Amino acid sequence: MKLASRLDNLGTETAFAVAAAAADWKAQGHEVFPFHLGDLDVPLAGHIVEAMNAAIADGKTGYCPGPGIPELRAALADDIGSRRGMSFGPDEVTVMTGGKPVITKFLQAVMNPGDEVLYPNPGFPIYESQIEYLGGHGRSYRYLPTDDGFRIDLDQVRDAITDKTVAIIYNDLQNPISAESTDAEREAIAQLAIEHDLWVLSDEAYFEMRYEGTSTSIASLPGMRERTCILYTFSKKFAMTGSRLGCAVAPAQMSTVFSTMNTNDESCTTHYVQWAGIAALTGTQEPVADMLATLKARRDAACEIVGDTPGMSVETPRSTFYLFPDVTEAIQIVGARDVGDFATQALHATGVSFCTRNHFGRPQPGEDRSYIRFAYSGLPEEQIRRGLGGLRDWIGSHA
């Protein structure tokens, strides 16, 4: 029996493949420091748990409206709008089972087979996977290292736009490289979208996961609201990764389509989880502040050790919970064949497990530096210091 040929185009979130190798090494009796997966070890805030349990006890365990319960849509419209200097109505909010469905449903709504969509590379691998799975052609754009962090190659973006281009995926506060657009870069992307009449998926999963400064949504720029879909998720800010709750904020025309897609795909988002989302948005924000303080301490510890590691260099990010160090010289120091071999050797020698640049999109022509990603969101500071300290010492022993 044959399966559909489009399955050949379906990728995956490659961090899970690294997790499998780390789990196998751990099963053999070795200690593992899991820097590969961007999950959070922070417990779910008590008032969110109480709201979820109360909703279950109240019988909110059946079907509910496909686009989300009205109370949550209103709370999301108010919270997301106020934090972006905008005003949204509940009819522009469609609740979904996390942030990933927003990617898929956005592409289904705007892209026909054969259309082209621009996406960041390195970037979240589900972008590329879903574009190609749904019959589109992905055209990736790169980031260039500068003295002030990574910057989008705007010339490449301009050159990539054709008469078949229908949309651009834009991830400010970016996974995996933690890059944040300057005002000028954000405005340049917006201008290109307007000039070429493109839809924009603005992935804002890390909009509030920052240690200093303030975030700006591309949707708030002139001429962008009517062409932008904001991806929002509860996973990061509220440590609700397993709860699977997020939403799309989009023009009413697109939101209506999303609602119909929800009904076709999963009927509705889990009813009682939505009440937990309301509690997260409207209740005390002290757990969020505490989590950010914890993550900042972890970031500082990780940056200190990575910066002291032979053959590694990294910028200190102001947001997300990732480091993306250049390890080109470190690979040479330990005599690894390439960045993949370096990762395997590091796991076996030190127990430190991490993703490489190659897990976030196919490397582009001309890339001559090697990078890896450390996610420090799931390890206490003591484990960060012990794990990365061991990695530093291992590399240093070869220097």
Side-chain angles (χ1 to χ4, degrees), residues 7-231:
L7 293 172
D8 295 337
N9 296 324
L10 190 62
T12 185
E13 188 168 353
T14 47
F16 290 107
V18 180
D24 179 67
W25 187 245
K26 184 175 181 180
Q28 296 178 43
H30 305 285
E31 184 176 19
V32 169
F33 300 93
F35 288 90
H36 52 267
L37 193 60
D39 204 352
L40 290 146
D41 65 345
V42 179
L44 194 56
H47 69 287
I48 300 177
V49 175
E50 291 171 5
M52 191 181 303
N53 289 339
I56 294 172
D58 288 345
K60 294 180 172 66
T61 55
Y63 289 124
C64 61
I69 60 176
E71 296 88 344
L72 179 57
R73 296 176 78 192
L76 282 164
D78 179 67
D79 187 83
I80 294 172
S82 64
R83 295 180 186 279
R84 289 158 177 77
M86 304 177 71
S87 177
F88 295 114
D91 63 328
E92 296 172 280
V93 176
T94 310
V95 177
M96 298 189 193
T97 55
K100 281 181 181 174
V102 180
I103 301 170
T104 301
K105 291 171 184 176
F106 170 82
L107 292 170
Q108 287 176 315
V110 307
M111 185 189 75
N112 290 309
D115 285 343
E116 297 176 352
V117 175
L118 277 62
Y119 68 95
N121 179 6
F124 190 46
I126 301 304
Y127 305 146
E128 181 181 60
S129 171
Q130 287 299 298
I131 292 168
E132 296 186 354
Y133 175 67
L134 294 169
H137 296 302
R139 294 178 67 86
S140 64
Y141 61 88
R142 64 178 162 244
Y143 287 76
L144 301 174
T146 73
D147 293 337
D148 190 31
F150 290 94
R151 294 284 172 255
I152 293 173
D153 186 344
L154 292 171
D155 289 335
Q156 188 186 41
V157 175
R158 293 187 187 95
D159 292 342
I161 298 173
T162 73
D163 57 2
K164 294 183 178 180
T165 308
V166 296
I168 180 169
I169 298 176
Y170 173 65
N171 182 201
D172 205 352
L173 285 69
Q174 206 252 25
N175 172 21
I177 63 179
S178 296
E180 178 181 359
S181 284
T182 62
D183 290 343
E185 181 177 273
R186 190 178 303 108
E187 289 165 5
I189 294 294
Q191 189 58 42
L192 286 170
I194 293 168
E195 286 177 7
H196 297 276
D197 196 23
L198 304 179
W199 285 100
V200 176
L201 175 62
S202 182
D203 185 341
E204 300 182 7
Y206 298 92
F207 192 84
E208 293 163 67
M209 301 300 296
R210 60 180 313 134
Y211 313 111
E212 61 249 13
T214 56
S215 298
T216 300
S217 174
I218 195 170
S220 68
L221 301 183
M224 290 304 295
R225 176 179 176 140
E226 58 268 30
R227 66 179 64 253
T228 302
C229 171
I230 295 173
L231 182 157

Side-chain angles (χ1 to χ4, degrees), residues 8 88 102 172 200 278 295 321 332 357 379:
D8 295 337
F88 295 114
V102 180
D172 205 352
V200 176
I278 294 171
L295 290 173
F321 37 68
Q332 297 171 357
R357 180 267 178 269
L379 295 90

Side-chain angles (χ1 to χ4, degrees), residues 124-387:
F124 190 46
I126 301 304
Y127 305 146
E128 181 181 60
S129 171
Q130 287 299 298
I131 292 168
E132 296 186 354
Y133 175 67
L134 294 169
H137 296 302
R139 294 178 67 86
S140 64
Y141 61 88
R142 64 178 162 244
Y143 287 76
L144 301 174
T146 73
D147 293 337
D148 190 31
F150 290 94
R151 294 284 172 255
I152 293 173
D153 186 344
L154 292 171
D155 289 335
Q156 188 186 41
V157 175
R158 293 187 187 95
D159 292 342
I161 298 173
T162 73
D163 57 2
K164 294 183 178 180
T165 308
V166 296
I168 180 169
I169 298 176
Y170 173 65
N171 182 201
D172 205 352
L173 285 69
Q174 206 252 25
N175 172 21
I177 63 179
S178 296
E180 178 181 359
S181 284
T182 62
D183 290 343
E185 181 177 273
R186 190 178 303 108
E187 289 165 5
I189 294 294
Q191 189 58 42
L192 286 170
I194 293 168
E195 286 177 7
H196 297 276
D197 196 23
L198 304 179
W199 285 100
V200 176
L201 175 62
S202 182
D203 185 341
E204 300 182 7
Y206 298 92
F207 192 84
E208 293 163 67
M209 301 300 296
R210 60 180 313 134
Y211 313 111
E212 61 249 13
T214 56
S215 298
T216 300
S217 174
I218 195 170
S220 68
L221 301 183
M224 290 304 295
R225 176 179 176 140
E226 58 268 30
R227 66 179 64 253
T228 302
C229 171
I230 295 173
L231 182 157
Y232 178 92
T233 177
F234 286 78
S235 294
K236 314 306 180 186
K237 178 181 177 181
F238 298 110
M240 294 176 67
T241 53
S243 300
R244 307 316 305 144
L245 185 63
C247 79
V249 183
Q253 169 198 14
M254 182 177 282
S255 294
T256 300
V257 173
F258 287 160
S259 177
T260 303
M261 288 178 176
N262 279 7
T263 302
N264 276 265
D265 287 352
E266 64 275 334
S267 295
C268 59
T269 300
T270 305
H271 194 176
Y272 54 83
V273 171
Q274 295 191 54
W275 287 96
I278 294 171
L281 291 168
T282 62
T284 175
Q285 301 301 296
E286 190 173 330
V288 176
D290 291 344
M291 179 176 66
L292 285 173
T294 296
L295 290 173
K296 184 176 185 295
R298 294 177 181 181
R299 178 204 67 176
D300 293 345
C303 283
E304 172 192 335
I305 297 170
V306 171
D308 194 39
T309 300
M312 285 193 187
S313 61
V314 69
E315 295 286 332
T316 300
R318 303 198 305 167
S319 62
T320 79
F321 37 68
Y322 307 111
L323 300 186
F324 199 68
D326 185 328
V327 296
T328 307
E329 279 73 37
I331 291 172
Q332 297 171 357
I333 289 171
V334 301
R337 295 187 305 275
D338 52 33
V339 70
D341 184 42
F342 175 72
T344 300
Q345 288 193 36
L347 174 64
H348 293 169
T350 71
V352 174
S353 175
F354 51 82
C355 294
T356 74
R357 180 267 178 269
N358 296 350
H359 290 103
F360 300 98
R362 304 181 185 102
Q364 300 193 50
E367 292 189 23
D368 58 0
R369 307 295 296 179
S370 296
Y371 296 88
I372 62 175
R373 189 196 74 169
F374 291 128
Y376 53 83
S377 54
L379 295 90
E381 184 178 339
E382 180 274 332
Q383 286 193 34
I384 290 173
R385 291 189 176 278
R386 198 154 52 85

